[in-house]
Amino acid sequence: MKENPVVIAIDGTSASGKSTNSKRVAAALGYTYVDTGAMYRTLAWYCLQQNINIEDTKAITAALKKWRTKLVCADKAVYLTVDGYHPAQEIRTSATSAAVPKVAAIPAVRAWMKRKQRQCVKFGNIVMEGRDIGSEIFPETEFKFYLDASLDERSRRREADGIIENLAERDKRDTQRAVSPLMFSLGAIPINTSEMTPEETTKLLLEKIYEKLAKRQNKSGTTNKTDEI
Ligand code: DC
């Protein structure tokens, strides 16, 4: 395992530009990208597959003991497989999207996800996007960002992607959930992307990350000096 890997936590509201920018930042730095929303979606998909009632917390909690998953890292991205299968398309259907908030609100699910998500550092330096990465999953990281944009702009972006979604309702669910709600975490750098292009947002994120990486190197006293007595 890489010693002291860098964890870049990118949290924020839906359609704030999290995914686009997390992927771009990971590619620019050569880090591994982790989409934690996809992990919750994978569990929701699995429950639907198994005909588990999505309102049945006990049955979903029991499924966590039963499903056989692996964390796989390929082409610098991490995903969950279930019985060796990666449901890449299936987790994006409207049925899965409707089921996932219910699954994500269950405390046992969040504890399971936390354990798995923390294991991702075994793949080296990571960029992890989600809702609670800076607050709950890696609160110790010094690289925390919180992306947001106006409701109008986020709705416009969703529509441009062909998705009609009540984002105000989604924000409410994400922020008012009892366990690990979406929130601004201590030490996070806020970025409002309403008036920014993805290129500008990525550039700003990278500038902040390079600044912090330079400070971290100075602190650890990394020099090329030769040891001599
Ligand atoms: O980012 P997304 O739309 O793919 O997320 C899917 C769902 O999972 C959404 O309801 C929010 C939830 N989620 C979460 O609760 N915590 C995370 N770290 C990531 C996603």
Side-chain angles (χ1 to χ4, degrees):
M1 202 202 282
K2 193 175 187 304
E3 213 181 291
N4 212 2
V6 177
V7 174
I8 297 177
I10 304 189
D11 292 305
T13 49
S14 300
S16 60
K18 274 194 319 282
S19 297
T20 307
N21 284 289
S22 299
K23 284 181 199 157
R24 293 167 75 122
V25 164
L29 296 167
Y31 289 7
T32 295
Y33 166 68
V34 190
D35 174 1
T36 59
M39 295 172 72
Y40 285 96
R41 287 173 177 273
T42 301
L43 176 60
W45 165 80
Y46 174 80
C47 292
L48 295 175
Q49 282 282 105
Q50 299 290 310
N51 288 320
I52 294 170
N53 177 357
I54 223 68
E55 308 286 343
D56 188 342
T57 301
K58 267 197 188 148
I60 296 172
T61 305
L64 292 170
K65 299 204 173 78
K66 210 174 73 180
W67 72 335
R68 287 184 305 166
T69 61
K70 275 209 173 93
L71 270 178
V72 177
C73 180
D75 296 329
K76 291 267 175 194
V78 174
Y79 52 84
L80 268 184
T81 61
V82 186
D83 290 326
Y85 179 66
H86 174 209
Q89 311 294 327
E90 297 90 326
I91 63 171
R92 305 287 163 195
T93 63
S94 49
T96 309
S97 297
V100 66
K102 304 209 168 116
V103 167
I106 300 172
V109 168
R110 301 211 71 91
W112 191 95
M113 293 290 169
K114 179 172 181 175
R115 199 162 43 79
K116 284 284 161 188
Q117 288 162 11
R118 285 193 63 90
Q119 286 170 9
C120 289
V121 288
K122 73 177 182 205
F123 300 119
N125 298 328
I126 56 173
V127 176
M128 183 173 275
E129 68 146 303
R131 305 290 194 288
D132 61 344
I133 311 307
S135 57
E136 186 62 34
I137 310 300
F138 287 104
E140 69 276 25
T141 186
E142 64 219 87
F143 301 87
K144 294 184 195 182
F145 297 92
Y146 186 91
L147 268 54
D148 201 359
S150 69
L151 187 58
D152 277 357
E153 175 56 21
R154 292 187 294 122
S155 305
R156 200 194 55 72
R157 288 177 191 166
R158 273 286 192 264
E159 268 174 51
D161 287 342
I163 305 167
I164 304 295
E165 192 182 2
N166 186 339
L167 282 178
E169 187 53 42
R170 175 93 107 99
D171 287 352
K172 205 166 138 194
R173 270 205 317 254
D174 278 350
T175 51
Q176 295 184 358
R177 176 173 62 216
V179 207
S180 300
L182 166 67
M183 61 173 166
F184 185 82
S185 74
L186 202 66
I189 297 177
I191 300 182
N192 189 316
T193 68
S194 303
E195 310 266 319
M196 293 169 83
T197 63
E199 289 73 19
E200 288 167 339
T201 309
T202 306
K203 187 165 170 276
L204 180 61
L205 281 162
L206 285 171
E207 276 168 16
K208 301 282 182 202
I209 292 165
Y210 287 132
E211 263 171 37
K212 284 178 177 284
L213 282 171
K215 272 195 205 144
R216 179 173 153 132
Q217 256 174 2
N218 288 341
K219 249 195 261 166
S220 68
T222 320
T223 67
N224 290 326
K225 77 171 174 357
T226 324
D227 272 341
E228 259 183 16
I229 298 175

